Amino acid sequence: LFELDHIGRGETPQVQLRFLRKSIESVTKACKPERGPWMWPVHSIGVSVAVMLANLALGDTSVPRRRQWLWYLRILPLPTGCKIQQQLELHYGSAVAYAFAWSNLYVQGLWILAFITILTSTVFHAGPADVTSAKVIPWVILQFL
């Protein structure tokens, strides 16, 4: 943990954060890269590629290929669970693994919304129409979705 010296005590949180930033910058000045931000992100492009490749390499071979493709498109989760979620939790922690799991669930919801929209527009021939005709009702419903 990092504790402020007597300089920042009793100050507002904004002033304390400014003191904390200056203190961290002075301690890490030798580590500052020549280009780019002062503090590097949690992972680089190499780690991003490794996570993507691990998603392919750690795939469960007992699951049929068709089901794996449904997982890659984030339509259906794997019945055995996702090993990459476990690796993300080990590497980044449970909060980041939760964010990835939540994004997978969000994409699954978007697939459902896309299916409902395509089905409704196909069945009811929904499209922009004259406001006075009854054909405008499915179009308005699709806009609401």
Side-chain angles (χ1 to χ4, degrees), residues 8 20-21 24 36 39 47 58 83 89 93 111 127 131:
L20 180 62
R21 179 180 177 188
I24 290 174
M39 302 289 179
V47 175
L58 293 174
K83 293 179 185 176
E89 187 170 3
W111 276 112
V131 181

Coordinates of all heavy atoms in Angstrom, one line a residue, residues 8 20-21 24 36 39 47 58 83 89 93 111 127 131:
G8 N -0.1 15.6 2.3 CA -1.4 15.4 1.8 C -2.5 15.1 2.8 O -3.7 15.1 2.5
L20 N -0.7 11.9 -4.7 CA -0.4 10.5 -5.0 C 0.2 10.3 -6.4 O 1.1 9.6 -6.6 CB -1.7 9.7 -4.8 CG -1.6 8.2 -5.0 CD1 -0.6 7.6 -4.0 CD2 -2.9 7.5 -4.9
R21 N -0.4 11.0 -7.4 CA 0.1 10.9 -8.7 C 1.5 11.4 -8.8 O 2.4 10.7 -9.4 CB -0.8 11.7 -9.7 CG -0.3 11.6 -11.1 CD -1.2 12.3 -12.0 NE -0.6 12.3 -13.4 CZ -1.0 12.9 -14.4 NH1 -2.0 13.7 -14.3 NH2 -0.4 12.8 -15.5
I24 N 3.9 8.8 -7.2 CA 4.0 7.6 -8.0 C 4.9 7.9 -9.2 O 5.8 7.1 -9.6 CB 2.7 7.0 -8.5 CG1 2.0 6.4 -7.3 CG2 2.8 5.9 -9.6 CD1 0.6 5.9 -7.5
G36 N 4.6 6.4 -25.5 CA 3.4 5.8 -25.0 C 3.0 6.3 -23.6 O 3.7 7.3 -23.1
M39 N 1.8 4.7 -17.5 CA 1.4 3.4 -17.0 C 0.9 2.6 -18.2 O -0.1 3.0 -18.8 CB 0.3 3.5 -15.9 CG 0.7 4.4 -14.8 SD 1.9 3.5 -13.8 CE 2.2 4.7 -12.6
V47 N -0.5 -10.3 -25.7 CA -1.4 -11.0 -24.7 C -2.8 -11.2 -25.3 O -3.4 -12.2 -25.1 CB -1.4 -10.3 -23.4 CG1 -2.4 -10.9 -22.4 CG2 0.0 -10.2 -22.7
L58 N -7.6 -24.3 -26.2 CA -8.1 -24.9 -25.0 C -9.5 -25.4 -25.3 O -10.2 -25.8 -24.3 CB -8.1 -23.9 -23.8 CG -6.8 -23.5 -23.3 CD1 -6.9 -22.4 -22.2 CD2 -6.1 -24.7 -22.7
K83 N -13.0 -23.1 -20.7 CA -11.7 -23.1 -20.1 C -11.0 -21.8 -20.1 O -10.2 -21.4 -19.3 CB -10.8 -24.2 -20.7 CG -11.4 -25.6 -20.4 CD -10.5 -26.6 -21.1 CE -11.1 -28.0 -20.9 NZ -10.3 -29.0 -21.6
E89 N -9.5 -15.8 -15.4 CA -9.6 -15.5 -14.0 C -8.2 -15.7 -13.3 O -7.9 -14.9 -12.4 CB -10.6 -16.4 -13.4 CG -10.9 -16.1 -11.9 CD -12.1 -16.9 -11.4 OE1 -12.7 -17.7 -12.1 OE2 -12.4 -16.7 -10.2
G93 N -7.8 -12.1 -12.8 CA -8.7 -12.0 -11.6 C -10.1 -12.2 -11.9 O -10.5 -12.2 -13.0
W111 N -27.9 -11.7 -30.2 CA -28.3 -12.7 -31.2 C -29.8 -13.0 -31.1 O -30.5 -13.1 -32.2 CB -27.6 -14.0 -31.0 CG -26.2 -14.0 -31.6 CD1 -25.0 -14.0 -31.0 CD2 -25.9 -14.1 -33.0 NE1 -24.0 -14.0 -31.9 CE2 -24.5 -14.1 -33.2 CE3 -26.7 -14.1 -34.2 CZ2 -23.9 -14.1 -34.4 CZ3 -26.1 -14.1 -35.4 CH2 -24.7 -14.1 -35.5
G127 N -41.6 -2.7 -42.9 CA -40.8 -1.7 -43.5 C -41.4 -0.4 -43.4 O -42.6 -0.2 -43.0
V131 N -47.9 6.4 -42.8 CA -48.3 6.4 -41.4 C -49.7 6.1 -41.3 O -50.1 5.6 -40.2 CB -48.0 7.8 -40.8 CG1 -48.3 7.9 -39.4 CG2 -46.5 8.2 -41.0

